[in-house]
Amino acid sequence: MLRELVMELGQKQGDTYHLSKQFNYELLTNYLQVSRPTMKKIVTALSEERIQLGYRKKH
């Protein structure tokens, strides 16, 4: 589901897709209705497929 969202709304830069910063980590976690640990696994898997999310982690 997230992959399709990125492909539809993201921007391709070289061989990598980037999703806008407006889609922050919390919003995506809620949208997918998954836990934070599950979201981390999803982000890692997408990163391996050259799909980057535009959010910035809070420190």
Side-chain angles (χ1 to χ4, degrees), residues 4-59:
E4 288 81 15
L5 180 71
V6 172
M7 297 298 184
E8 187 173 325
L9 301 176
Q11 295 181 341
K12 188 168 184 179
Q13 297 176 354
D15 60 352
T16 304
Y17 281 89
H18 295 267
L19 191 59
S20 170
K21 292 178 187 175
Q22 71 191 41
F23 294 97
N24 63 41
Y25 197 86
E26 184 176 346
L27 180 108
L28 291 170
T29 301
N30 291 335
Y31 176 76
L32 297 172
Q33 298 180 356
V34 296
S35 66
R36 292 183 71 75
T38 299
M39 185 66 189
K40 184 174 181 177
K41 290 177 187 176
I42 292 169
V43 169
T44 299
L46 289 175
S47 180
E48 291 171 359
E49 295 179 35
R50 298 184 183 263
I51 297 173
Q52 300 294 317
L53 304 179
Y55 68 85
R56 294 186 183 212
K57 290 184 179 180
K58 295 179 182 177
H59 295 283

